[in-house]
Amino acid sequence: MIDKSTIDRVMETAQSQITDVISEFISLKKRGINYIGHCPFHNEKTPSFIVSPHKGIFKCFGCGKGGNAVNFLMEHEQISFVDAIKTLGRKFHIPIEEKESTPEEMVKQNERESMMVVTNFAARWFTKNMFETDEGQSVGLGYFKQRGFDPEIIKKFQLGYSPDNKDAFTRQATIEGYKLNFLEKTGLTVVREDYKADRFRGRVIFPIHSLSGKVIAFGGRILKSDAKAAKYLNSPESEIYHKSKILYGIYFARQEMTRQDRTYLVEGYTDVLSFHQAGITNVVASSGTALTPDQIRLIARFTPNVTIIYDGDPAGIKASLRGIDLILEEGMNVKVLLLPEGEDPDSFAKKMPGDELRKYISENETDFIKFKTSILLEDSKNDPIKRAQLIQDIVKSISVIPDQIIRSVYVKECSTLLQVEESVLYSEIGKIKKKQREKESGRIAYRENMQEAVPQNQPPVITPSAKNPLDAEEKEIMRFLLKYGHLDLGEVDMGDKKTAMKVGEYIVNELRQDELKSENPVYNLILEEYEEQMKLPGFIANKYFISHSNPDISHLATDLIAREYPLSKIHKKHGAIKSDTDLLSILVPKVVLELKWKLVKLKLEQTRMKLQQSEKQGNMEEVMELIKEMSLLQNVFKLISLQQGERTII
């Protein structure tokens, strides 16, 4: 665990030297007080990537990415926050001071590190064995050459060979000092009573890399005919390898996935290798296992767009359709490509150059509705029962799409393809949604009854909220809070006296006295931290939040501070104005009142709807209560409306 003071020192240094950090990865040219270059996160012809040394931030006005130096390193190199801090510490010669871990943490950390050392040794040994032994060259290297793979691809993916010997690897590993305990835990050695054997003996080896490029597991393909042995064999689950959370090739694909804003999803190791050999590197494989939500979220970190490439095996395709629903459920855009009969991604990629292959995919991929319908219609044909089941299956897929607009587009398309009224489809979606809500409410009730304990010292989990009707007003308040919070606002009328306040103090006071909370958890976290930090001397919000260790907070802070806002009608009323700072005494109360006005307006609409329902149901007691509530809200609404035209700070 890195000490907080060390993190703060690294963050502060990196922020002040952000141009130096980013210029190691892209070419920057000075333009005024800022620097400009081509964004490394998406393809662009005209540079829109800005680095501001004065503010210590970067911002791309093309794709929207932004943040501090640590955010850039995490995004560009796809490494963790801790690894980014360590990298920058080395760059700026800052000793990384770490807190002393508990005995349990030490044991776990040492075990993981030992397992990583073992898998790294194994990868080198398998490669060396393939290139430097007669058996390795004739059997292992011969297989890869026979499959048409170039030496560059073989070396890039660290492919290797494990000799057809009971324990050749295990013996060599123990001779070199690696403990049997860790050979067993990584799955490299199978240990029984009086028995030790290499798991991957007689197989060509495909190392599986983590997101940061470390070898965490292996896949092995047997080369001899053996009816009792599996064709492909993977490392078992371990402390460092969870097959449901990793994708083969993700380390080599991650940057291109972002640049191309698309991921090609295939099934096997050799599919990935052949695509790379054709020059297409934004490709990953599920390694023959069913796609999982964790794997889909891993893809979503780089792009929301996925093209699944299937070979011509109908049985295999039907078994994989569940994966499409999982991708849709995560709010991603999925397309499907069915290759010609007898082809798979490996063989097909070897038949044409990368540009032609990419063009073929683009011209032949289709959306999931057309694909799923064409596949399932083969079974239903003229059977009305099977046709009804097909419609239910398609509707179930549409129902998991979180975005209502996208869902409605697919309903329209499905209605046309299957010749079913849209109202019928919406009715079915409503039934599915209702069942899901009932199921979820049952889970929530169960969790509440069980009174699950919340682990201590856990960082806050930020989950996206539904559409926030007050987001525009709240974001504007956050902008003033972060950008101008440390500036003087003037004297504020507190009823019995006038008090000098800063912008941040005024905003926090106004929101807290009315107990206002946002549906956006990031806004709430910022407000809570601001309230704590503003009491400390020398606190400046923009510097503090841009350098925040929580990427959600630092990204939002960067976006609000970097974005240029056009002068509004309020500015123009008051003559020639240079910036917001000239009108803080007018603008700050105005944006706070606009939020309150909008909130009361929403509550009025909600209360009015409740009142209409209660009148229909004849619930007169509730009607009277709601009328009182309406009257109170209307008075508040009128009061705020009057204040909107009057209130300024003296």
Side-chain angles (χ1 to χ4, degrees), residues 82-361:
V82 172
D83 286 340
I85 290 293
K86 288 180 177 179
T87 300
L88 290 169
R90 287 192 295 271
K91 176 178 175 60
F92 295 115
H93 308 291
I94 299 172
I96 300 297
E97 297 176 14
E98 301 191 38
K99 289 181 181 177
E100 189 174 341
S101 302
T102 64
E104 293 81 8
E105 289 171 339
M106 286 290 289
V107 168
K108 195 169 184 179
Q109 184 178 342
N110 289 338
E111 186 169 294
R112 282 182 59 85
E113 288 177 358
S114 297
M115 292 171 73
M116 288 290 205
V117 169
V118 166
T119 52
N120 186 51
F121 163 75
R124 293 197 313 271
W125 191 85
F126 291 138
T127 300
K128 185 178 180 181
N129 188 272
M130 184 170 73
F131 281 101
E132 297 182 11
T133 67
D134 292 339
E135 182 185 346
Q137 288 182 7
S138 62
V139 181
L141 193 57
Y143 168 79
F144 287 122
K145 286 182 176 178
Q146 181 261 326
R147 291 294 299 266
F149 294 116
D150 297 335
E152 292 79 11
I153 292 295
I154 294 171
K155 290 176 181 177
K156 178 180 180 179
F157 285 86
Q158 297 175 264
L159 306 180
Y161 176 71
S162 181
D164 194 10
N165 182 296
K166 179 186 172 185
D167 60 353
F169 166 75
T170 303
R171 278 187 287 108
Q172 187 60 39
T174 51
I175 287 170
E176 296 199 24
Y178 296 98
K179 293 181 180 178
L180 183 63
N181 175 37
F182 294 116
L183 295 174
E184 182 183 13
K185 284 186 174 181
T186 53
L188 288 160
T189 302
V190 178
V191 179
R192 302 281 186 269
E193 287 185 20
D194 301 322
Y195 174 85
K196 295 188 291 289
D198 297 345
R199 179 180 296 274
F200 296 106
R201 62 187 182 275
R203 294 174 183 265
V204 286
I205 304 296
F206 300 86
I208 298 169
H209 297 81
S210 70
L211 200 54
S212 60
K214 295 174 181 174
V215 176
I216 54 174
F218 300 91
R221 187 195 191 284
I222 199 165
L223 298 182
K224 63 182 181 181
S225 299
D226 187 345
K228 295 180 181 178
K231 184 178 178 181
Y232 277 95
L233 188 65
N234 285 344
S235 295
E237 294 270 316
S238 71
E239 182 66 30
I240 61 173
Y241 173 58
H242 303 281
K243 64 181 178 181
S244 65
K245 296 183 178 181
I246 196 69
L247 290 157
Y248 182 71
I250 187 71
Y251 169 66
F252 302 100
R254 68 201 197 289
Q255 290 186 14
E256 198 63 18
M257 287 162 64
T258 304
R259 287 196 193 97
Q260 298 290 338
D261 195 22
R262 178 159 298 278
T263 297
Y264 298 121
L265 180 63
V266 294
E267 187 177 359
Y269 303 127
T270 56
D271 298 334
V272 171
L273 301 183
S274 291
F275 264 64
H276 272 261
Q277 190 159 292
I280 298 177
T281 59
N282 53 324
V283 57
V284 295
S286 55
S287 304
T289 60
L291 201 60
T292 68
D294 283 324
Q295 290 172 330
I296 294 165
R297 291 183 197 113
L298 183 57
I299 294 172
R301 287 172 59 178
F302 306 97
T303 174
N305 303 307
V306 183
T307 296
I308 306 176
I309 302 177
Y310 291 111
D311 58 30
D313 173 24
I317 293 168
K318 287 176 185 175
S320 303
L321 287 177
R322 171 64 182 147
I324 294 178
D325 289 358
L326 290 173
I327 296 173
L328 292 169
E329 202 166 346
E330 291 298 322
M332 297 170 71
N333 308 314
V334 58
K335 292 194 173 183
V336 184
L337 173 69
L338 184 61
L339 294 175
E341 191 173 347
E343 297 282 6
D344 58 31
D346 174 21
S347 63
F348 199 68
K350 290 190 174 100
K351 291 186 174 179
M352 60 185 75
D355 290 343
E356 286 184 30
L357 177 57
R358 204 183 289 276
K359 184 180 178 184
Y360 178 89
I361 295 171

Side-chain angles (χ1 to χ4, degrees), residues 429-466:
I429 289 173
K431 290 176 186 176
I432 293 169
K433 289 283 186 187
K434 185 180 178 184
K435 285 181 182 177
Q436 287 173 343
R437 286 194 296 271
E438 289 171 353
K439 192 175 181 181
E440 184 59 32
S441 63
R443 286 195 192 120
I444 293 169
Y446 175 77
R447 285 198 294 267
E448 288 174 349
N449 290 336
M450 293 297 288
Q451 295 181 334
E452 291 180 340
V454 178
Q456 296 299 308
N457 301 320
Q458 291 289 330
V461 177
I462 298 178
T463 53
S465 60

Side-chain angles (χ1 to χ4, degrees), residues 20-72:
D20 188 26
V21 174
I22 294 177
S23 62
E24 287 189 5
F25 301 94
I26 65 172
S27 176
L28 296 173
K29 292 183 179 178
K30 195 164 180 25
R31 181 171 292 180
I33 61 170
N34 296 326
Y35 289 80
I36 190 166
H38 287 90
C39 180
F41 305 119
H42 78 291
N43 287 326
E44 61 177 12
K45 293 181 180 178
T46 305
S48 59
F49 183 87
I50 306 294
V51 179
S52 171
H54 175 66
K55 295 175 180 176
I57 61 175
F58 75 90
K59 176 71 179 176
C60 176
F61 292 91
C63 67
K65 290 191 185 296
N68 54 43
V70 175
N71 300 143
F72 178 86

Side-chain angles (χ1 to χ4, degrees), residues 410-443:
Y410 278 124
V411 165
K412 190 176 287 292
E413 187 173 351
C414 184
S415 171
T416 304
L417 281 171
L418 299 175
Q419 298 179 340
V420 180
E421 292 288 336
E422 285 185 34
S423 58
V424 174
L425 299 177
Y426 277 117
S427 175
E428 285 300 311
I429 289 173
K431 290 176 186 176
I432 293 169
K433 289 283 186 187
K434 185 180 178 184
K435 285 181 182 177
Q436 287 173 343
R437 286 194 296 271
E438 289 171 353
K439 192 175 181 181
E440 184 59 32
S441 63
R443 286 195 192 120

